Amino acid sequence: MNWPTTAKINVAIDGPAGAGKSTVARKVAEMLGYIYVDTGAMYRTVTLKAIREGADLNNSAELARIAERLDVRLVPEPGGQRVLMDGEDVTEPIRSQAVTGAVSRVAAVPAIRELLVRLQREIAASRGVVMDGRDIGTNVLPDAEVKVFMTASVRIRAERRWNEVKDREPSTSIESLAEAIAERDKTDSERDVSPLRQADDAVLLDTSHMSADEAAERIVGMCRRALEV
Ligand code: DC
């Protein structure tokens, strides 16, 4: 269903890894006829490039230089987006364990955040965007009309991640994913720049026992109310 009005709003969806943000955000975008923007994919793309170039992941200046030279593009397509790194389709490789294990360090570099946040704001400037990440409601789009902080228990998040990766990486266990998720939550919430936290005006949505469709319906309901006022 496309929205029967020309007015468009921005929707910010934040929360920890594996809370279901991307699945739900994608559905919301589809239901509203909006563009879905996965900001985590941008940090992952910079990370992939750094790994491929053999960069020292503890050297912020080197990482920032790599990000500055890099052309990251998100190309919307029905039901999601493709990610281009200097023109190369890296939609799949940015989901590898190597990238997942290193991305927190890249996302903690202030110069890289500045660069990507600028890009994210440009994409959202004409509104009609559903953007997911960690700092969208607090920092990237503080004036988003709808803000959701989506969460779920660590165990549930690990199970969801496992379902995503089990075919590609069959040796991965739910326990190891749970540990990695807890570790990543800690790094993301304790970092100095734009730590993961719920915006004061965001609605908390615990999806532990909620289907993606149900979560998406709830958010679309919030959008409907925001568009009515
Ligand atoms: O959502 P994800 O797992 O693809 O995110 C990858 C990493 O990027 C994660 O460690 C958090 C970080 N990130 C961030 O710091 N800010 C964002 N807006 C999006 C992601």
Side-chain angles (χ1 to χ4, degrees):
M1 174 189 72
N2 268 6
W3 211 250
T5 167
T6 50
K8 289 194 167 186
I9 58 172
N10 280 337
V11 183
I13 302 182
D14 291 301
K21 297 187 301 293
S22 59
T23 309
V24 173
R26 220 175 280 137
K27 283 180 188 285
V28 171
E30 211 172 292
M31 288 161 87
L32 296 175
Y34 281 14
I35 290 170
Y36 164 58
V37 182
D38 171 3
T39 61
M42 296 178 170
Y43 292 97
R44 285 173 177 274
T45 304
V46 176
T47 307
L48 177 66
K49 185 76 178 179
I51 291 172
R52 285 205 188 156
E53 293 206 352
D56 173 2
L57 294 172
N58 294 312
N59 185 334
S60 299
E62 190 180 354
L63 294 175
R65 271 196 302 278
I66 288 172
E68 272 159 29
R69 288 200 314 265
L70 185 65
D71 180 28
V72 185
R73 258 166 233 236
L74 303 182
V75 183
E77 62 168 19
Q81 60 171 17
R82 301 219 69 83
V83 185
L84 300 184
M85 179 176 87
D86 292 331
E88 176 191 346
D89 186 340
V90 292
T91 313
E92 299 299 326
I94 59 166
R95 303 285 153 199
S96 71
Q97 282 231 41
V99 170
T100 302
V103 64
S104 271
R105 277 188 278 172
V106 171
V109 177
I112 294 179
R113 299 201 70 85
E114 245 172 68
L115 203 100
L116 294 183
V117 167
R118 203 179 316 133
L119 191 60
Q120 290 153 15
R121 287 185 180 143
E122 274 169 24
I123 296 172
S126 43
R127 311 199 95 72
V129 158
V130 181
M131 189 173 280
D132 85 25
R134 302 294 190 286
D135 61 338
I136 311 306
T138 51
N139 177 47
V140 180
L141 305 176
D143 62 347
E145 288 81 355
V146 171
K147 295 185 187 179
V148 176
F149 193 82
M150 198 180 289
T151 182
S153 70
V154 169
R155 176 74 197 185
I156 296 259
R157 289 191 276 141
E159 285 173 13
R160 288 178 184 161
R161 203 57 121 193
W162 184 76
N163 277 317
E164 275 171 26
V165 302
K166 66 178 191 294
D167 294 336
R168 211 168 50 236
E169 291 162 8
S171 60
T172 306
S173 69
I174 295 180
E175 287 67 30
S176 69
L177 288 171
E179 265 175 44
I181 283 174
E183 184 60 37
R184 212 138 63 91
D185 280 1
K186 195 165 141 58
T187 325
D188 290 343
S189 338
E190 290 178 358
R191 71 173 175 225
D192 293 333
V193 222
S194 298
L196 171 67
R197 72 168 181 85
Q198 183 178 345
D200 295 336
D201 52 352
V203 175
L204 179 67
L205 199 61
D206 186 335
T207 67
S208 296
H209 305 290
M210 202 184 274
S211 71
D213 282 331
E214 194 182 333
E217 289 291 347
R218 294 232 192 158
I219 297 172
V220 169
M222 293 176 209
C223 295
R224 184 177 298 135
R225 286 190 289 280
L227 281 160
E228 274 166 2
V229 290

